Amino acid sequence: MKIALTGSLGNIGKPLTRLLAERGHQVTVISSKEERISEIESLGAVAAIGSIQDVEFLTETFKVLRRCI
């Protein structure tokens, strides 16, 4: 299953991201901070860097997810 998460490096999101990736899901983490890319990838997820308030960024991110189905 393809899953997109925000806030994935917090107390709930980080273990959830790791768990979902370990169970074979394709997880994309939306973050506004480029310095988090390596940590996101170490959890087994793909980083999508941009603002949650940027409609164009979100539209493109979800288009990519949809094409991968």
Side-chain angles (χ1 to χ4, degrees):
M1 180 181 295
K2 298 189 183 311
I3 300 169
L5 296 173
T6 61
S8 62
L9 297 182
N11 292 329
I12 294 172
K14 188 173 183 176
L16 178 60
T17 299
R18 182 180 291 118
L19 177 69
L20 290 169
E22 287 173 354
R23 292 191 177 178
H25 298 287
Q26 294 178 355
V27 183
T28 297
V29 172
I30 297 171
S31 177
S32 61
K33 299 182 179 178
E34 284 191 39
E35 60 269 17
R36 292 187 173 168
I37 292 173
S38 62
E39 187 173 1
I40 291 168
E41 291 175 348
S42 75
L43 298 171
V46 173
I49 305 301
S51 172
I52 194 82
Q53 297 175 351
D54 182 343
V55 174
E56 289 181 38
F57 161 71
L58 291 176
T59 300
E60 288 305 310
T61 298
F62 285 102
K63 278 183 185 177
V64 168
L65 288 171
R66 187 169 181 218
R67 280 193 296 261
C68 296
I69 294 177

